[in-house]
PDB file of all heavy atoms in Angstrom:
ATOM      1  N   PRO A 244     104.346  76.450 107.010  1.00  0.00           N
ATOM      2  CA  PRO A 244     104.020  76.160 105.545  1.00  0.00           C
ATOM      3  C   PRO A 244     103.679  74.652 105.438  1.00  0.00           C
ATOM      4  O   PRO A 244     103.075  74.408 104.358  1.00  0.00           O
ATOM      5  CB  PRO A 244     105.282  76.570 104.813  1.00  0.00           C
ATOM      6  CG  PRO A 244     106.370  76.527 105.877  1.00  0.00           C
ATOM      7  CD  PRO A 244     105.717  76.936 107.073  1.00  0.00           C
ATOM      8  N   PRO A 247      99.270  72.685 106.411  1.00  0.00           N
ATOM      9  CA  PRO A 247      98.149  72.240 105.559  1.00  0.00           C
ATOM     10  C   PRO A 247      98.230  70.789 105.175  1.00  0.00           C
ATOM     11  O   PRO A 247      97.297  70.147 104.735  1.00  0.00           O
ATOM     12  CB  PRO A 247      98.155  73.201 104.386  1.00  0.00           C
ATOM     13  CG  PRO A 247      98.918  74.392 104.877  1.00  0.00           C
ATOM     14  CD  PRO A 247      99.940  73.847 105.878  1.00  0.00           C
ATOM     15  N   TYR A 248      99.474  70.287 105.109  1.00  0.00           N
ATOM     16  CA  TYR A 248      99.696  68.864 104.644  1.00  0.00           C
ATOM     17  C   TYR A 248      99.783  67.885 105.808  1.00  0.00           C
ATOM     18  O   TYR A 248     100.059  66.739 105.627  1.00  0.00           O
ATOM     19  CB  TYR A 248     101.004  68.750 103.859  1.00  0.00           C
ATOM     20  CG  TYR A 248     101.065  69.840 102.736  1.00  0.00           C
ATOM     21  CD1 TYR A 248     101.719  71.020 103.078  1.00  0.00           C
ATOM     22  CD2 TYR A 248     100.431  69.671 101.551  1.00  0.00           C
ATOM     23  CE1 TYR A 248     101.773  72.055 102.032  1.00  0.00           C
ATOM     24  CE2 TYR A 248     100.460  70.643 100.520  1.00  0.00           C
ATOM     25  CZ  TYR A 248     101.087  71.812 100.806  1.00  0.00           C
ATOM     26  OH  TYR A 248     101.092  72.806  99.877  1.00  0.00           O
ATOM     27  N   LYS A 251      96.558  70.243 109.452  1.00  0.00           N
ATOM     28  CA  LYS A 251      96.526  71.620 110.088  1.00  0.00           C
ATOM     29  C   LYS A 251      97.151  71.554 111.419  1.00  0.00           C
ATOM     30  O   LYS A 251      97.040  72.517 112.226  1.00  0.00           O
ATOM     31  CB  LYS A 251      95.091  72.168 110.108  1.00  0.00           C
ATOM     32  CG  LYS A 251      94.422  72.227 108.672  1.00  0.00           C
ATOM     33  CD  LYS A 251      93.004  72.690 108.969  1.00  0.00           C
ATOM     34  CE  LYS A 251      92.310  72.385 107.583  1.00  0.00           C
ATOM     35  NZ  LYS A 251      90.841  72.533 107.835  1.00  0.00           N
ATOM     36  N   LYS A 278     106.889  64.944  99.754  1.00  0.00           N
ATOM     37  CA  LYS A 278     107.568  65.725  98.623  1.00  0.00           C
ATOM     38  C   LYS A 278     108.138  67.020  99.051  1.00  0.00           C
ATOM     39  O   LYS A 278     108.987  67.573  98.377  1.00  0.00           O
ATOM     40  CB  LYS A 278     106.705  65.817  97.506  1.00  0.00           C
ATOM     41  CG  LYS A 278     105.403  66.587  97.767  1.00  0.00           C
ATOM     42  CD  LYS A 278     104.473  66.658  96.505  1.00  0.00           C
ATOM     43  CE  LYS A 278     103.212  67.244  96.839  1.00  0.00           C
ATOM     44  NZ  LYS A 278     102.326  66.567  97.810  1.00  0.00           N
ATOM     45  N   HIS A 279     107.679  67.455 100.166  1.00  0.00           N
ATOM     46  CA  HIS A 279     108.217  68.819 100.659  1.00  0.00           C
ATOM     47  C   HIS A 279     109.396  68.590 101.559  1.00  0.00           C
ATOM     48  O   HIS A 279     110.193  69.540 101.682  1.00  0.00           O
ATOM     49  CB  HIS A 279     107.138  69.664 101.359  1.00  0.00           C
ATOM     50  CG  HIS A 279     105.931  70.002 100.476  1.00  0.00           C
ATOM     51  ND1 HIS A 279     106.107  70.801  99.341  1.00  0.00           N
ATOM     52  CD2 HIS A 279     104.656  69.612 100.455  1.00  0.00           C
ATOM     53  CE1 HIS A 279     104.918  70.896  98.704  1.00  0.00           C
ATOM     54  NE2 HIS A 279     104.012  70.126  99.443  1.00  0.00           N
ATOM     55  N   ILE A 322     115.478  79.558 103.765  1.00  0.00           N
ATOM     56  CA  ILE A 322     114.828  80.137 102.596  1.00  0.00           C
ATOM     57  C   ILE A 322     116.003  80.567 101.613  1.00  0.00           C
ATOM     58  O   ILE A 322     116.932  81.152 102.109  1.00  0.00           O
ATOM     59  CB  ILE A 322     114.002  81.385 102.987  1.00  0.00           C
ATOM     60  CG1 ILE A 322     113.069  81.170 104.199  1.00  0.00           C
ATOM     61  CG2 ILE A 322     113.303  81.969 101.827  1.00  0.00           C
ATOM     62  CD1 ILE A 322     111.967  80.117 103.861  1.00  0.00           C
ATOM     63  N   GLY A 324     116.738  81.612  97.202  1.00  0.00           N
ATOM     64  CA  GLY A 324     116.227  81.916  95.929  1.00  0.00           C
ATOM     65  C   GLY A 324     117.184  82.807  95.214  1.00  0.00           C
ATOM     66  O   GLY A 324     118.308  83.048  95.607  1.00  0.00           O
ATOM     67  N   GLY A 325     116.703  83.432  94.074  1.00  0.00           N
ATOM     68  CA  GLY A 325     117.471  84.310  93.375  1.00  0.00           C
ATOM     69  C   GLY A 325     117.444  84.071  91.835  1.00  0.00           C
ATOM     70  O   GLY A 325     116.684  83.258  91.433  1.00  0.00           O
ATOM     71  N   LEU A 326     118.187  84.850  91.142  1.00  0.00           N
ATOM     72  CA  LEU A 326     118.135  84.773  89.562  1.00  0.00           C
ATOM     73  C   LEU A 326     118.589  83.512  89.200  1.00  0.00           C
ATOM     74  O   LEU A 326     119.342  82.756  89.807  1.00  0.00           O
ATOM     75  CB  LEU A 326     119.021  85.869  89.077  1.00  0.00           C
ATOM     76  CG  LEU A 326     118.561  87.295  89.485  1.00  0.00           C
ATOM     77  CD1 LEU A 326     119.697  88.255  89.050  1.00  0.00           C
ATOM     78  CD2 LEU A 326     117.292  87.658  88.690  1.00  0.00           C
ATOM     79  N   ASP A 328     120.685  80.714  87.032  1.00  0.00           N
ATOM     80  CA  ASP A 328     122.189  80.596  86.644  1.00  0.00           C
ATOM     81  C   ASP A 328     122.406  81.239  85.347  1.00  0.00           C
ATOM     82  O   ASP A 328     121.563  81.278  84.451  1.00  0.00           O
ATOM     83  CB  ASP A 328     122.490  79.064  86.556  1.00  0.00           C
ATOM     84  CG  ASP A 328     122.532  78.382  87.932  1.00  0.00           C
ATOM     85  OD1 ASP A 328     122.940  79.083  88.831  1.00  0.00           O
ATOM     86  OD2 ASP A 328     122.075  77.295  88.015  1.00  0.00           O
ATOM     87  N   TYR A 330     122.997  84.387  84.738  1.00  0.00           N
ATOM     88  CA  TYR A 330     122.868  85.867  84.732  1.00  0.00           C
ATOM     89  C   TYR A 330     124.063  86.464  85.346  1.00  0.00           C
ATOM     90  O   TYR A 330     124.647  85.974  86.318  1.00  0.00           O
ATOM     91  CB  TYR A 330     121.583  86.274  85.478  1.00  0.00           C
ATOM     92  CG  TYR A 330     120.347  85.995  84.694  1.00  0.00           C
ATOM     93  CD1 TYR A 330     119.253  85.423  85.300  1.00  0.00           C
ATOM     94  CD2 TYR A 330     120.240  86.360  83.379  1.00  0.00           C
ATOM     95  CE1 TYR A 330     118.093  85.221  84.600  1.00  0.00           C
ATOM     96  CE2 TYR A 330     119.122  86.182  82.650  1.00  0.00           C
ATOM     97  CZ  TYR A 330     118.062  85.616  83.257  1.00  0.00           C
ATOM     98  OH  TYR A 330     116.867  85.411  82.543  1.00  0.00           O
TER      99      TYR A 330
ATOM    100  N   THR B 102      96.354  78.371 108.880  1.00  0.00           N
ATOM    101  CA  THR B 102      97.163  77.525 107.944  1.00  0.00           C
ATOM    102  C   THR B 102      96.348  76.711 107.001  1.00  0.00           C
ATOM    103  O   THR B 102      96.779  75.749 106.376  1.00  0.00           O
ATOM    104  CB  THR B 102      98.102  76.656 108.739  1.00  0.00           C
ATOM    105  OG1 THR B 102      97.361  75.942 109.689  1.00  0.00           O
ATOM    106  CG2 THR B 102      99.130  77.490 109.487  1.00  0.00           C
ATOM    107  N   ASP B 103      95.004  77.059 106.887  1.00  0.00           N
ATOM    108  CA  ASP B 103      94.157  76.339 105.903  1.00  0.00           C
ATOM    109  C   ASP B 103      94.790  76.535 104.536  1.00  0.00           C
ATOM    110  O   ASP B 103      94.692  75.701 103.627  1.00  0.00           O
ATOM    111  CB  ASP B 103      92.730  76.774 105.933  1.00  0.00           C
ATOM    112  CG  ASP B 103      92.024  76.302 107.184  1.00  0.00           C
ATOM    113  OD1 ASP B 103      92.694  75.613 107.938  1.00  0.00           O
ATOM    114  OD2 ASP B 103      90.860  76.476 107.325  1.00  0.00           O
ATOM    115  N   ASN B 134     123.005  87.497  92.633  1.00  0.00           N
ATOM    116  CA  ASN B 134     122.013  86.686  91.999  1.00  0.00           C
ATOM    117  C   ASN B 134     121.445  85.495  92.903  1.00  0.00           C
ATOM    118  O   ASN B 134     120.846  84.609  92.429  1.00  0.00           O
ATOM    119  CB  ASN B 134     122.506  86.009  90.677  1.00  0.00           C
ATOM    120  CG  ASN B 134     123.638  85.100  90.871  1.00  0.00           C
ATOM    121  OD1 ASN B 134     124.095  84.857  91.987  1.00  0.00           O
ATOM    122  ND2 ASN B 134     124.013  84.499  89.752  1.00  0.00           N
ATOM    123  N   ARG B 135     121.710  85.608  94.187  1.00  0.00           N
ATOM    124  CA  ARG B 135     121.279  84.645  95.149  1.00  0.00           C
ATOM    125  C   ARG B 135     120.946  85.295  96.417  1.00  0.00           C
ATOM    126  O   ARG B 135     121.474  86.284  96.769  1.00  0.00           O
ATOM    127  CB  ARG B 135     122.347  83.553  95.409  1.00  0.00           C
ATOM    128  CG  ARG B 135     122.671  82.610  94.347  1.00  0.00           C
ATOM    129  CD  ARG B 135     121.625  81.520  94.239  1.00  0.00           C
ATOM    130  NE  ARG B 135     121.942  80.635  93.210  1.00  0.00           N
ATOM    131  CZ  ARG B 135     121.522  80.689  91.932  1.00  0.00           C
ATOM    132  NH1 ARG B 135     120.816  81.685  91.602  1.00  0.00           N
ATOM    133  NH2 ARG B 135     121.816  79.792  90.972  1.00  0.00           N
ATOM    134  N   PHE B 136     119.941  84.721  97.187  1.00  0.00           N
ATOM    135  CA  PHE B 136     119.794  85.208  98.573  1.00  0.00           C
ATOM    136  C   PHE B 136     119.600  83.920  99.427  1.00  0.00           C
ATOM    137  O   PHE B 136     119.138  82.866  98.951  1.00  0.00           O
ATOM    138  CB  PHE B 136     118.624  86.130  98.741  1.00  0.00           C
ATOM    139  CG  PHE B 136     117.279  85.485  98.793  1.00  0.00           C
ATOM    140  CD1 PHE B 136     116.694  85.186  99.977  1.00  0.00           C
ATOM    141  CD2 PHE B 136     116.506  85.225  97.599  1.00  0.00           C
ATOM    142  CE1 PHE B 136     115.376  84.581 100.051  1.00  0.00           C
ATOM    143  CE2 PHE B 136     115.340  84.585  97.638  1.00  0.00           C
ATOM    144  CZ  PHE B 136     114.724  84.285  98.963  1.00  0.00           C
ATOM    145  N   VAL B 138     118.425  82.797 103.540  1.00  0.00           N
ATOM    146  CA  VAL B 138     117.989  83.132 104.917  1.00  0.00           C
ATOM    147  C   VAL B 138     118.207  81.789 105.726  1.00  0.00           C
ATOM    148  O   VAL B 138     117.590  80.780 105.373  1.00  0.00           O
ATOM    149  CB  VAL B 138     116.543  83.520 104.872  1.00  0.00           C
ATOM    150  CG1 VAL B 138     115.976  83.637 106.323  1.00  0.00           C
ATOM    151  CG2 VAL B 138     116.339  84.773 104.037  1.00  0.00           C
ATOM    152  N   HIS B 167     116.727  92.443  86.599  1.00  0.00           N
ATOM    153  CA  HIS B 167     116.054  91.348  85.983  1.00  0.00           C
ATOM    154  C   HIS B 167     114.478  91.442  86.384  1.00  0.00           C
ATOM    155  O   HIS B 167     114.175  92.086  87.320  1.00  0.00           O
ATOM    156  CB  HIS B 167     116.572  89.992  86.370  1.00  0.00           C
ATOM    157  CG  HIS B 167     117.781  89.692  85.653  1.00  0.00           C
ATOM    158  ND1 HIS B 167     119.104  90.091  86.111  1.00  0.00           N
ATOM    159  CD2 HIS B 167     118.024  89.150  84.356  1.00  0.00           C
ATOM    160  CE1 HIS B 167     119.989  89.774  85.216  1.00  0.00           C
ATOM    161  NE2 HIS B 167     119.403  89.169  84.212  1.00  0.00           N
ATOM    162  N   SER B 172     112.693  82.523  89.337  1.00  0.00           N
ATOM    163  CA  SER B 172     113.558  81.620  88.403  1.00  0.00           C
ATOM    164  C   SER B 172     113.368  80.199  88.840  1.00  0.00           C
ATOM    165  O   SER B 172     112.648  79.845  89.819  1.00  0.00           O
ATOM    166  CB  SER B 172     115.079  82.039  88.842  1.00  0.00           C
ATOM    167  OG  SER B 172     115.311  81.752  90.216  1.00  0.00           O
ATOM    168  N   ASP B 175     114.501  79.700  92.207  1.00  0.00           N
ATOM    169  CA  ASP B 175     113.398  80.186  93.186  1.00  0.00           C
ATOM    170  C   ASP B 175     112.503  78.999  93.469  1.00  0.00           C
ATOM    171  O   ASP B 175     112.110  78.750  94.585  1.00  0.00           O
ATOM    172  CB  ASP B 175     112.703  81.389  92.722  1.00  0.00           C
ATOM    173  CG  ASP B 175     113.442  82.672  92.847  1.00  0.00           C
ATOM    174  OD1 ASP B 175     114.283  82.718  93.638  1.00  0.00           O
ATOM    175  OD2 ASP B 175     113.252  83.597  91.944  1.00  0.00           O
ATOM    176  N   ASP B 205     100.822  72.869  95.325  1.00  0.00           N
ATOM    177  CA  ASP B 205     100.928  71.747  96.201  1.00  0.00           C
ATOM    178  C   ASP B 205     101.892  70.643  95.673  1.00  0.00           C
ATOM    179  O   ASP B 205     102.530  70.070  96.506  1.00  0.00           O
ATOM    180  CB  ASP B 205      99.550  71.108  96.378  1.00  0.00           C
ATOM    181  CG  ASP B 205      98.669  71.880  97.357  1.00  0.00           C
ATOM    182  OD1 ASP B 205      99.248  72.677  98.120  1.00  0.00           O
ATOM    183  OD2 ASP B 205      97.449  71.617  97.393  1.00  0.00           O
ATOM    184  N   ARG B 207     104.485  71.031  93.860  1.00  0.00           N
ATOM    185  CA  ARG B 207     105.770  71.731  93.649  1.00  0.00           C
ATOM    186  C   ARG B 207     106.140  71.973  92.181  1.00  0.00           C
ATOM    187  O   ARG B 207     107.236  72.351  91.815  1.00  0.00           O
ATOM    188  CB  ARG B 207     106.997  70.849  94.242  1.00  0.00           C
ATOM    189  CG  ARG B 207     106.839  70.562  95.678  1.00  0.00           C
ATOM    190  CD  ARG B 207     108.171  69.978  96.313  1.00  0.00           C
ATOM    191  NE  ARG B 207     109.161  70.954  96.162  1.00  0.00           N
ATOM    192  CZ  ARG B 207     109.415  71.855  97.039  1.00  0.00           C
ATOM    193  NH1 ARG B 207     108.709  72.008  98.151  1.00  0.00           N
ATOM    194  NH2 ARG B 207     110.412  72.794  96.855  1.00  0.00           N
TER     195      ARG B 207
END
Side-chain angles (χ1 to χ4, degrees):
Chain A
Y248 309 96
K251 301 173 195 167
K278 61 183 171 298
H279 297 296
I322 309 296
L326 298 168
D328 288 323
Y330 282 134
Chain B
T102 54
D103 286 2
N134 68 353
R135 290 279 183 268
F136 80 93
V138 174
H167 282 90
S172 62
D175 282 331
D205 279 344
R207 305 192 63 85

